[in-house]
Amino acid sequence: MSSLPDVDARAERRVSVVPVAGDRRRHPASAHLRFFHGPMDCGKSTLALQVDHNHSRQGRRGLLLTQGDRSARPLISSRVGLCREAIEVRPATDLRLLVRAHWAEGHRVDYLIVDEAQFLTAAQVDQLAELVDDSHVDVYAFGLTTDFLARLFPGTQRLLEVADDVQRIQVEVLCWCGLPGLLNARVVDGAMVREGETVVVADTAPTPAPDEAGPDPEVHYQVLCRRHHVLGQLGPAAVGPGQLALP
Ligand SMILES: [Zn+2]
């Protein structure tokens, strides 16, 4: 906001008729690639929707992107009940072309919100960086830090390498023991597993009781502290029939 409102208002009217991409390039203010990461259930999607809300309230226009969201339709949905439609990104999607297609239709794209950014390819992260540097589009990426083997996801690794700003999300998720939960465990039929595909999309809801489970193995994720991830101990609540509860 300026101390010269009349001048500013005139300038704004002029700017509003300038083509979008050109408009952004007029402003020397640089854009940023920001990455927020954490374990499951740390509130990434909620934060993504909050960032979108804050920007859109300032009159900025953004695109929301996601991959393999918990809901089958492309949405950014959070466990606290917020939800917005999003564009589904596939591994072959060129994010630069996706943004340019919106510009070509006359839509402004001032910023991108990228949820589930851990699933991006390294090339797609580089495309995001190019949009930041060459087209001055602000990018806010949100993703899981590590997979169920406690290894960085490929998209996460590339974002840690090239993002301007990296923040571990500070909403604390607790392991069943009460220590901060940092790592995601994959639980199949009530037991932690250490092999399988990197990406198996499942929720973090507790495993249903054995009589509700179908014939397919039930997969879910549980956030553990480092020690209990190493030990593979899921806590007393997750113990299935015939297993001992080891604190
Ligand atoms: Zn623990």
Side-chain angles (χ1 to χ4, degrees):
M1 295 305 119
S2 162
S3 56
L4 300 167
D6 294 344
V7 174
D8 245 21
R10 280 201 301 277
E12 204 142 356
R13 275 195 294 279
R14 277 202 305 277
V15 164
S16 67
V17 298
V18 170
V20 177
D23 175 25
R24 283 296 282 164
R25 289 193 187 99
R26 285 164 57 101
H27 298 287
S30 57
H32 293 96
L33 173 53
R34 297 205 160 94
F35 180 45
F36 301 82
H37 66 96
M40 304 190 96
D41 280 340
C42 72
K44 285 180 302 299
S45 299
T46 307
L47 183 59
L49 293 173
Q50 182 68 52
V51 169
D52 174 57
H53 175 75
N54 292 351
H55 280 264
S56 61
R57 210 171 48 179
Q58 299 300 325
R60 304 188 80 206
R61 299 290 173 81
L63 293 179
L64 282 68
L65 313 180
T66 190
Q67 284 190 73
D69 182 58
R70 285 185 296 279
S71 41
R73 287 185 305 143
L75 293 169
I76 295 181
S77 60
S78 72
R79 289 182 178 82
V80 294
L82 303 171
C83 177
R84 272 207 56 188
E85 277 184 35
I87 299 167
E88 176 80 10
V89 170
R90 300 181 190 290
T93 306
D94 186 322
L95 301 173
R96 297 163 301 185
L97 298 182
L98 188 146
V99 169
R100 283 179 203 144
H102 276 77
W103 281 336
E105 291 168 6
H107 301 301
R108 279 167 47 195
V109 181
D110 300 320
Y111 63 93
L112 297 178
I113 303 282
V114 188
D115 199 16
E116 310 290 357
Q118 72 275 6
F119 295 145
L120 294 173
T121 64
Q124 285 173 323
V125 174
D126 290 344
Q127 291 159 12
L128 292 175
E130 193 179 318
L131 283 166
V132 171
D133 294 336
D134 295 352
S135 306
H136 308 290
V137 175
D138 281 310
V139 176
Y140 298 85
F142 302 83
L144 296 175
T145 316
T146 52
D147 64 14
F148 74 110
L149 298 172
R151 307 279 180 204
L152 293 175
F153 280 97
T156 300
Q157 180 183 336
R158 191 65 186 146
L159 281 159
L160 291 172
E161 289 164 349
V162 303
D164 298 298
D165 184 42
V166 174
Q167 291 184 39
R168 178 175 261 174
I169 294 173
Q170 293 303 319
V171 175
E172 210 161 75
V173 189
L174 299 181
C175 178
W176 57 269
C177 69
L179 287 175
L182 296 175
L183 301 170
N184 305 303
R186 181 181 293 167
V187 181
V188 178
D189 285 337
M192 182 172 161
V193 295
R194 297 185 192 274
E195 53 191 28
E197 298 290 317
T198 300
V199 179
V200 174
V201 176
D203 216 326
T204 53
T207 310
D211 57 334
E212 295 171 22
D216 291 332
E218 195 64 40
V219 180
H220 78 279
Y221 290 92
Q222 183 175 342
V223 177
L224 297 174
C225 71
R226 186 173 54 230
R227 177 165 166 266
H228 285 130
H229 196 278
V230 168
L231 294 172
Q233 292 175 353
L234 300 171
V239 168
Q243 289 177 280
L244 289 173
L246 298 174

